[in-house]
Amino acid sequence: MSRSVVTRPAVAIRNVSKVWTPEGRSPVNALQGLDFDVAPGEFVVLLGPSGCGKSTLLYMIAGLEATTSGLIECDGLKVEEPSAERGLIFQEASLFPWLTIADNVAFGLSIQGVLPVRRREIAIEMLRRVGLSDMLDKKPDELSGGMRQRAACARALAMKPKVLMMDEPFAALDVQTRARMQDFLLQIWRDSGASVLLVTHSIDEAIALADRVIVFTARPGRVKTIVPIDLPRPRPTRDARYHEYRDLFTELLAAEVERAFAEMEAA
Ligand SMILES: Nc1ncnc2c1ncn2[C@@H]1O[C@H](COP(=O)(O)OP(=O)(O)O)[C@@H](O)[C@H]1O
Ligand SMILES: [Mg+2]
C-alpha cells in the first residue's frame, strides 16, 4: 500500500490584500492578491522597493494586523492574534533597556508561565548559541548593535518559534558585522528548524540567505516573481551563476523602483 506524504505549509498566504485606512487621509492599497506558501524549515527572503508592503505583510503574519481580505494560516491554523510560535525581529533590536540581556531573553518565557530557574537556564543556553555567554548580566546599551541583534535573536528563539520573521534586521549594521550576522543567522536557522521570512533591500543579502526570493512589485505590493536560489551555501560569490542572480534581481528591482517614481511624479 502506498501512502503519500503531504507536508502542511508553515505559512500559507491565500489571496491576501491589505488596505490601510488612516484617519483623515485617503486609503492606501498596501498589498494586493498575495498568494504563496512557506515550507517548514524554508528560508524565504522578501525583496521589493520601499513602501511596497513588506513590513505590513510581516505584521499580518505575526497577527499584529488583520488582513483586509484573504487568509493567512500558520501550520494549518488561521492567524488571528500574535503567538509565541511566530517571532518578529525589527531593524533596531527592541530590547528593554532596564533589563539585563539574560532577563530580556527570559521575559517572553515568564509570560508563558515558565518558572524562574528554568527561564534562566533557557536564557543562558540561547545566549550561548548566539555567542553572548559573557553578556548575561549586561544592559542592552553596553552591547554593540550586532550584539543587540543577536540578543534579540536569542529572545525570539527562546520561544521556540515555528516561524521567525525579520524586518531588515541587519540594515543598521556596518558591512563586516552584517556579513558575520548572516553567517550566524544561517547557523541558528539550521539548528532551530524554523521557517524564516526575512525582509531586505540588499540583493547580496537575499542571495546569501534565501532558499527562495519573493520579489514584490511597487505599491500596491504584489508578487512579481519567485526565484529559487539554486546554489550551495556558503554562496559562491565568484561563480558566474551568482552574478546571473545578481543581474536578474537588479533588473527586476530597477523596473519596480522606476515605476514607483513615475507614479509619484504623475500624482
Ligand atoms: N499603520 C499604517 N497606517 C497607514 N498606512 C500605513 C501604515 N503602515 C504602513 N502604511 C502604508 O502602507 C504602505 C506599505 O508600507 P510598509 O509595509 O511599511 O512597506 P515596506 O515595509 O515595504 O517599506 C506604505 O504606503 C505605508 O505608508
Ligand atoms: Mg518596511
Side-chain angles (χ1 to χ4, degrees):
M1 198 172 72
S2 76
R3 220 186 325 170
S4 63
V5 181
V6 181
T7 14
R8 197 159 47 190
V11 183
I13 315 280
R14 296 279 173 266
N15 201 15
V16 165
S17 299
K18 177 70 175 181
V19 182
W20 290 105
T21 45
E23 223 172 287
R25 284 190 288 140
S26 30
V28 180
N29 269 321
L31 290 166
Q32 215 167 66
L34 295 186
D35 214 281
F36 62 87
D37 286 352
V38 178
E42 191 181 21
F43 201 127
V44 167
V45 166
L46 309 178
L47 188 66
S50 136
C52 74
K54 303 178 298 294
S55 297
T56 300
L57 177 60
L58 293 193
Y59 297 153
M60 293 193 297
I61 299 171
L64 297 167
E65 280 290 335
T67 62
T68 303
S69 61
L71 176 72
I72 298 179
E73 285 181 343
C74 284
D75 219 8
L77 296 174
K78 185 178 176 202
V79 170
E80 285 175 312
E81 56 185 3
S83 150
E85 295 195 336
R86 285 171 268 121
L88 178 56
I89 295 175
F90 301 93
Q91 178 174 335
E92 296 292 339
S94 45
L95 302 169
F96 296 122
W98 60 88
L99 293 180
T100 65
I101 295 301
D103 286 345
N104 263 289
V105 174
F107 179 80
L109 297 165
S110 67
I111 298 175
Q112 285 191 330
V114 180
L115 295 175
V117 175
R118 183 69 192 128
R119 290 206 297 263
R120 177 92 186 164
E121 281 172 6
I122 294 173
I124 288 171
E125 166 57 19
M126 291 302 152
L127 286 164
R128 187 191 60 75
R129 273 201 225 172
V130 303
L132 291 179
S133 292
D134 295 343
M135 302 294 164
L136 298 179
D137 299 313
K138 297 264 194 274
K139 297 280 173 61
D141 67 359
E142 296 177 81
L143 271 58
S144 68
M147 285 178 178
R148 282 201 292 271
Q149 275 309 56
R150 281 191 274 160
C153 287
R155 183 176 58 179
L157 291 170
M159 310 296 281
K160 292 205 182 307
K162 291 205 176 105
V163 180
L164 187 58
M165 285 166 280
M166 309 180 89
D167 197 352
E168 304 191 38
F170 310 139
L173 305 177
D174 62 76
V175 177
Q176 286 79 14
T177 310
R178 192 170 183 152
R180 292 190 53 194
M181 290 295 288
Q182 290 167 359
D183 293 343
F184 152 77
L185 175 58
L186 287 173
Q187 202 180 317
I188 58 169
W189 163 63
R190 285 201 196 91
D191 291 349
S192 72
S195 306
V196 174
L197 268 154
L198 180 140
V199 167
T200 185
H201 278 122
S202 159
I203 288 171
D204 286 305
E205 186 158 273
I207 304 173
L209 296 174
D211 290 323
R212 285 189 301 156
V213 179
I214 302 191
V215 183
F216 281 67
T217 67
R219 194 172 59 237
R222 281 167 281 124
V223 175
K224 185 179 173 84
T225 182
I226 299 182
V227 182
I229 306 293
D230 185 18
L231 292 172
R233 290 187 182 88
R235 287 339 196 343
T237 49
R238 290 167 195 279
D239 194 303
R241 285 182 305 158
Y242 182 95
H243 292 276
E244 281 166 24
Y245 282 115
R246 230 175 163 277
D247 293 346
L248 172 65
F249 289 126
T250 306
E251 219 168 280
L252 288 168
L253 276 189
E256 289 311 313
V257 171
E258 237 163 74
R259 205 162 65 80
F261 266 107
E263 273 169 27
M264 240 163 54
E265 295 203 334

